[in-house]
Amino acid sequence: YVVVALGAAVENVVPPIPADTFVLLGGFLAGQGHVSATGVFLGTWALNSAGSLGVYALARRYGRAFFARGVGRFLLRPRQLEKLDALYRAHGAKIIFASRFVPGFRALVPVFAGVTRLGPWRTAIPVVSASALWYGVLVLLGSLLGRNWDRLWAIFSSVNRALVIVALGLGALAAWAWWRTRRREA
């Protein structure tokens, strides 16, 4: 339980660590009868949500100062930060909720919620609810996978490819927006 839950939590600090893989593994072990699916779900949901909200809290406290100088100023210029503020004021909760389903982005979006000083409840509610939904589905799929290894492996492979395509598309869109707003300010 501890390894699976910590694996899910670490993703918030090191986005390439695949929390989904840890959760599916825990669900798989539950499907094989080695652990409880409820225990896997509660551990991963609690630690991943707590990790996300911890990163949000740190970014809320220190993020603005980071982007005001040095490397941070290179990453986001003041005008870009203003646009990010407006985006999060208008759609922050929706952005956070949707990001919890996209690997990589689920770790970055709470950082910007903190930097833009989105309210704690407008951050916590979508983090906790979307994480519950996502990790519940993954534990269920992992359990089914543990019981029906061959049949479900083909399904998961296609879903994972689709999520990678979505993540790459969102990454390209974010890079384009960053470049576009950066060029205007120069």
Side-chain angles (χ1 to χ4, degrees), residues 51-124:
S52 178
L53 295 173
V55 167
Y56 156 79
L58 287 172
R60 186 173 167 89
R61 175 147 175 119
Y62 302 108
R64 271 301 220 234
F66 173 79
F67 287 107
R69 60 187 176 289
V71 173
R73 191 163 172 82
F74 171 76
L75 293 173
L76 284 178
R77 292 185 175 170
R79 183 164 155 61
Q80 290 173 305
L81 209 46
E82 288 172 20
K83 288 191 174 284
L84 195 61
D85 281 339
L87 179 67
Y88 270 81
R89 271 194 308 276
H91 306 287
K94 292 180 272 190
I95 292 168
I96 293 167
F97 187 87
S99 78
R100 301 308 292 167
F101 302 100
V102 184
F105 281 88
R106 84 172 57 104
L108 297 175
V109 169
V111 171
F112 292 113
V115 169
T116 61
R117 299 198 178 275
L118 189 68
W121 289 112
R122 286 189 63 202
T123 303

Side-chain angles (χ1 to χ4, degrees), residues 7-156:
V10 168
E11 178 190 48
N12 292 293
V13 180
V14 185
I17 299 291
D20 296 353
T21 304
F22 282 94
V23 178
L24 282 167
L25 174 62
F28 178 84
L29 293 172
Q32 295 283 307
H34 300 294
V35 296
S36 156
T38 302
V40 170
F41 167 73
L42 290 174
T44 56
W45 175 47
L47 263 68
N48 189 275
S49 295
S52 178
L53 295 173
V55 167
Y56 156 79
L58 287 172
R60 186 173 167 89
R61 175 147 175 119
Y62 302 108
R64 271 301 220 234
F66 173 79
F67 287 107
R69 60 187 176 289
V71 173
R73 191 163 172 82
F74 171 76
L75 293 173
L76 284 178
R77 292 185 175 170
R79 183 164 155 61
Q80 290 173 305
L81 209 46
E82 288 172 20
K83 288 191 174 284
L84 195 61
D85 281 339
L87 179 67
Y88 270 81
R89 271 194 308 276
H91 306 287
K94 292 180 272 190
I95 292 168
I96 293 167
F97 187 87
S99 78
R100 301 308 292 167
F101 302 100
V102 184
F105 281 88
R106 84 172 57 104
L108 297 175
V109 169
V111 171
F112 292 113
V115 169
T116 61
R117 299 198 178 275
L118 189 68
W121 289 112
R122 286 189 63 202
T123 303
I125 290 170
V127 163
V128 171
S129 59
S131 294
L133 179 61
W134 182 242
Y135 292 128
V137 167
L138 288 181
V139 169
L140 177 63
L141 283 175
S143 293
L144 290 172
L145 186 64
R147 285 185 235 133
N148 304 291
W149 173 254
D150 294 330
R151 292 159 81 205
L152 291 176
W153 182 250
I155 293 169
F156 176 69

